[in-house]
Amino acid sequence: MEALQPVGSFKIRGIGRACHELVTTGVQHLVSSSGGNAGLAVAYAGRLLRTRVTVLVPRTTPEMMRAKLRVEGAAVQEAGDSWDDAHAAALALADAPNTGLIHPFEGEALWDGHATLVEECAEQGEPPDAIVVAVGGGGLLVGVLRGLHRIGWGAVPVVAVETTGAASLARSAAAGALQTLPRIDSLATSLGARTPAAEAVAWTQRHPIHCHQVEDRAAVQACARFADDHRVLVEPACGAALAACYELAPPLEQARRILVVVCGGAGVSPALLGDWLAKT
Ligand SMILES: *Cc1c(COP(=O)(O)O)cnc(C)c1O
C-alpha cells in the first residue's frame, strides 16, 4: 500500500535514498525535472534533509501538482513544453557547484531504495506466486527485481504492466533492445517514459517477466473499483497494475497468492477520477 506513503507513492523509497546520498556528499541544492510523483518525492526529501529544491516542470504540469510541490517548500520553475525541455533545463541547472540532479527512474541508490519494498515483504511472510508492478521508466521494476533476488525470491514471476499508449518496456523487451516510443498516448501520465531504463530491459532477459498491457479505460475503471473496495484513491498509473489483477492477466490465473504493488500517485482527486471515467 505505497499509496499511503507521505508523498502518496512509492517514489520516496528510492528518491529519498538518492537525495540522502547526494546531501551526505555535500550537495546543497537538489534539482528535479519531474512535475509528478518523482518531483514531489524530491521536494519532500529536501524538506526533511533541510536542503534547497528546485523542480523544473513543463507547461503541461497541472496546477494541483505545482501547489503540492510548493507546499513541500520546493521552488517550481516552468521550462518548456515537454518533459524533454524540462529535463534539459534541469541538466543545465545541475551543472552549478554543489547541485545534484535526481533522475525519476535511474540510479543505483534509487533502485536500492525501491528494493526495500520487497525486503519488507520478506519479513511479513512466504513468497507470493506472482508480483504485479506498474512500469513507467522501470525504476520500480528494477528495484523490485533487485529486492527479490536479494532475499532469495528470484523464481517469483513478475507481471510488468503498462498502458497500451505508454508501453515502452513491452516494445523494448520484444525487440531485445532499448526502444523509444515516438510519443506517449495515455491518461496514465506517471507511466509516460518514452524510453525505459536500460537496466529494466536487461532484466527482462534474465528473470521471468510477463509484459502486460491494459487500455486506459481498464486502468481508470480499476481506480474506481479499488476506491470502492479499499477507500483509497490512486492514479491511473497504479490502476494499470490493479486492472491486471482484476482481469487475472497471465500468469495470475494459476496464482493463489498475488502481491500487487499499489504504487499510488498524488495526481488524483475524486473530480479527476470522474472526468477520466467520463472520458474513456
Ligand atoms: C513513477 C510512478 C510509476 C512508474 O514507476 P517507474 O519507476 O517510472 O517505472 C508508477 N506509478 C506511479 C504512481 C508513479 O509515480
Side-chain angles (χ1 to χ4, degrees):
M1 283 298 277
E2 297 295 305
L4 305 182
Q5 293 279 7
V7 290
S9 82
F10 70 93
K11 287 277 190 337
I12 190 58
R13 290 182 180 268
I15 287 182
R17 184 173 291 216
C19 290
H20 183 256
E21 200 177 272
L22 283 184
V23 169
T24 51
T25 60
V27 164
Q28 290 162 12
H29 182 191
L30 298 165
V31 177
S32 169
S33 57
S34 159
N37 296 306
L40 191 57
V42 176
Y44 177 84
R47 180 165 64 77
L48 265 58
L49 293 163
R50 299 173 198 281
T51 305
R52 185 178 153 209
V53 172
T54 302
V55 182
L56 292 142
V57 301
R59 194 181 37 78
T60 48
T61 302
E63 179 51 35
M64 180 178 108
M65 288 306 288
R66 296 180 195 219
K68 285 180 198 257
L69 290 165
R70 286 193 212 98
V71 165
E72 295 295 351
V76 179
Q77 279 175 29
E78 203 171 273
D81 289 333
S82 68
W83 180 79
D84 299 272
D85 295 341
H87 195 65
L91 278 171
L93 186 60
D95 238 0
N98 303 324
T99 306
L101 180 68
I102 302 287
H103 194 280
F105 55 80
E106 302 249 22
E108 295 295 323
L110 180 129
W111 295 328
D112 282 340
H114 289 344
T116 59
L117 185 159
V118 179
E119 288 158 10
E120 286 166 24
C121 292
E123 292 162 17
Q124 294 177 13
E126 295 299 302
D129 299 318
I131 301 190
V132 182
V133 181
V135 175
L140 174 60
L141 177 68
V142 171
V144 163
L145 288 161
R146 280 196 171 189
L148 287 176
H149 284 257
R150 224 168 257 165
I151 64 175
W153 290 5
V156 178
V158 174
V159 182
V161 190
E162 296 169 293
T163 49
T164 49
S168 55
L169 181 74
R171 171 89 82 88
S172 300
L178 210 54
Q179 304 284 308
T180 298
L181 299 177
R183 64 195 187 95
I184 297 294
D185 182 16
S186 177
L187 274 177
T189 49
S190 295
L191 303 187
R194 287 172 55 224
T195 313
E199 184 77 359
V201 180
W203 269 107
T204 63
Q205 316 289 316
R206 55 177 194 249
H207 186 96
I209 296 176
H210 301 255
C211 289
H212 184 72
Q213 294 176 43
V214 302
E215 299 292 338
D216 274 8
R217 177 158 185 79
V220 169
Q221 284 178 337
C223 294
R225 183 162 166 194
F226 192 74
D228 283 342
D229 289 349
H230 299 284
R231 312 171 318 281
V232 174
L233 275 183
V234 298
E235 287 183 19
C238 177
L242 299 174
C245 296
Y246 286 133
E247 286 169 11
L248 286 180
L252 302 178
E253 319 98 306
Q254 295 110 22
R256 284 181 46 245
R257 286 161 48 84
I258 299 169
L259 173 63
V260 53
V261 180
V262 183
C263 50
V268 60
S269 67
L272 278 172
L273 181 54
D275 288 351
W276 296 328
L277 283 166
K279 207 153 76 180
T280 51

